Amino acid sequence: MTSPVVFDRSLVRRRLARALRAGYADFLLVRAVEDLMERLSTVSRPFPLILDVGTPTSAAADALRRLGTVTRVGPVAEPGAILGDEERLPFSGGRFDLAVSLLSLQSVNDLPGSLIQIRRALKPDGLFMGALLGGGTLTELRQAFTQAEAELEGGASPRVAPFADVKDLGGLLQRAGFALPVADSEVLRVRYGDPFALMRDLRLMGLTNALVHRRRTPLRRATLLRAAEIYGERFADPDGRLPATFEIIWLSGWTPHDSQQKPLRPGSATMRLADALGVPDDQDPAPPA
């Protein structure tokens, strides 16, 4: 099946390149790299060969070099990196022990396909760990623009990307062939003096609107100012500062291997629940409250 084209991928890369030239706003990425290294510290496994897929800067690759040799596929031209696309990786055949991708995969059109390619690039019993923006991201900004356009323009246009849900992403890992899939999320709340400071940061992260079906006419000044007003009215904290929500969804999965734990077949248990709990046969081991 052909995946729907939601994002203008060439525009995504141009926006990121512009952000990098202007001074990338890296606070989310710094947090993601710290979390990545903390999560990896609990895995008692060497990772001599590591693949970084599409992380906006070399921050993850730089941190991972203490663990092994890193091959980086960068979304824009960068010294020491392979220029590539997360939807068309130039690897196959099980080369890497670990693959990571931070704050990149939320803007691919074929996420299942990208996950399959990452899995194929890993050795058996190799680990994938990724972080991408989830469905709770920028909910305040989305609501403010929706209301402002409904009031002033008679209808809303898509201005904030549709982000995936944590429940869906766990299923996608399984579809892509990963074993022991795990998906969890963390909500970060960043506060701003006004909505325009948030919009500047989004521009400096390359996260401005790259939807294929975005409205092509310029945003009206009246609509922008009304959205800013609504943002303040609906979401301001008691001290007047404005929160912006970023949901980071973490994914992890292993390429299948015979050494991994597997669920038992139904009916294969060798001990009864009553025996395990140490209760008599005629007593219900879990009486109702």
Side-chain angles (χ1 to χ4, degrees):
M1 295 178 62
T2 302
S3 297
V5 178
V6 177
F7 299 98
D8 182 335
R9 293 285 297 158
S10 63
L11 182 58
V12 168
R13 288 189 288 272
R14 291 200 303 274
R15 295 270 171 86
L16 177 59
R18 181 182 65 187
L20 292 169
R21 290 193 301 270
Y24 184 79
D26 65 353
F27 60 94
L28 284 182
L29 185 57
V30 167
R31 174 63 177 267
V33 171
E34 291 173 351
D35 288 352
L36 171 69
M37 301 309 293
E38 182 177 349
R39 288 167 182 259
L40 287 173
S41 70
T42 67
V43 182
S44 57
R45 175 77 60 84
F47 298 113
L49 294 177
I50 303 169
L51 174 64
D52 174 13
V53 180
T55 302
T57 77
S58 65
D62 295 340
L64 289 164
R65 288 193 178 96
R66 73 187 72 162
L67 303 181
T69 301
V70 180
T71 299
R72 172 163 160 73
V73 177
V76 299
E78 174 188 314
I82 300 170
L83 178 61
D85 190 318
E86 300 92 324
E87 295 186 322
R88 290 184 293 276
L89 294 183
F91 306 107
S92 62
R95 295 178 52 182
F96 299 96
D97 305 284
L98 170 68
V100 304
S101 179
L102 302 185
L103 304 185
S104 169
L105 293 176
Q106 70 272 350
S107 63
V108 301
N109 289 309
D110 183 10
L111 182 54
S114 293
L115 292 174
I116 289 170
Q117 291 182 60
I118 291 171
R119 193 253 303 158
R120 288 174 176 168
L122 287 165
K123 297 175 182 177
D125 208 27
L127 174 63
F128 165 65
M129 192 167 287
L132 62 162
L133 296 176
T137 299
L138 300 176
T139 180
E140 303 91 352
L141 186 65
R142 184 186 299 114
Q143 293 179 54
F145 267 115
T146 297
Q147 183 176 334
E149 289 188 316
E151 290 179 5
L152 301 181
E153 302 187 26
S157 64
R159 296 196 178 275
V160 178
F163 298 114
D165 182 84
V166 63
K167 297 177 183 177
D168 297 331
L169 290 171
L172 286 183
L173 284 171
Q174 286 187 308
R175 280 180 53 192
F178 283 100
L180 309 175
V182 176
D184 63 90
S185 70
E186 177 185 16
V187 174
L188 304 179
R189 205 166 168 265
V190 183
R191 302 204 312 153
Y192 290 90
D194 59 68
F196 304 107
L198 166 61
M199 294 176 199
R200 285 193 292 272
D201 270 355
L202 294 177
R203 184 180 179 89
L204 288 174
M205 287 187 280
L207 294 179
T208 49
N209 193 349
L211 296 172
V212 169
H213 298 298
R214 66 192 180 278
R215 183 175 291 180
R216 303 306 174 106
T217 55
L219 176 63
R220 291 169 50 185
R221 177 178 174 81
T223 303
L224 175 61
L225 293 177
R226 178 57 182 146
E229 184 179 35
I230 293 168
Y231 203 129
E233 291 172 351
R234 293 185 57 182
F235 301 109
D237 287 336
D239 63 359
R241 294 184 67 79
L242 304 177
T245 298
F246 294 91
E247 181 186 17
I248 299 180
I249 297 179
W250 282 93
L251 305 177
S252 65
W254 298 81
T255 48
H257 189 265
D258 290 341
S259 65
Q260 294 166 355
Q261 288 183 318
K262 295 177 177 59
L264 294 175
R265 298 188 309 276
S268 62
T270 59
M271 179 180 290
R272 299 180 307 154
L273 178 59
D275 294 336
L277 297 178
V279 299
D281 288 340
D282 59 352
Q283 182 179 332
D284 185 350

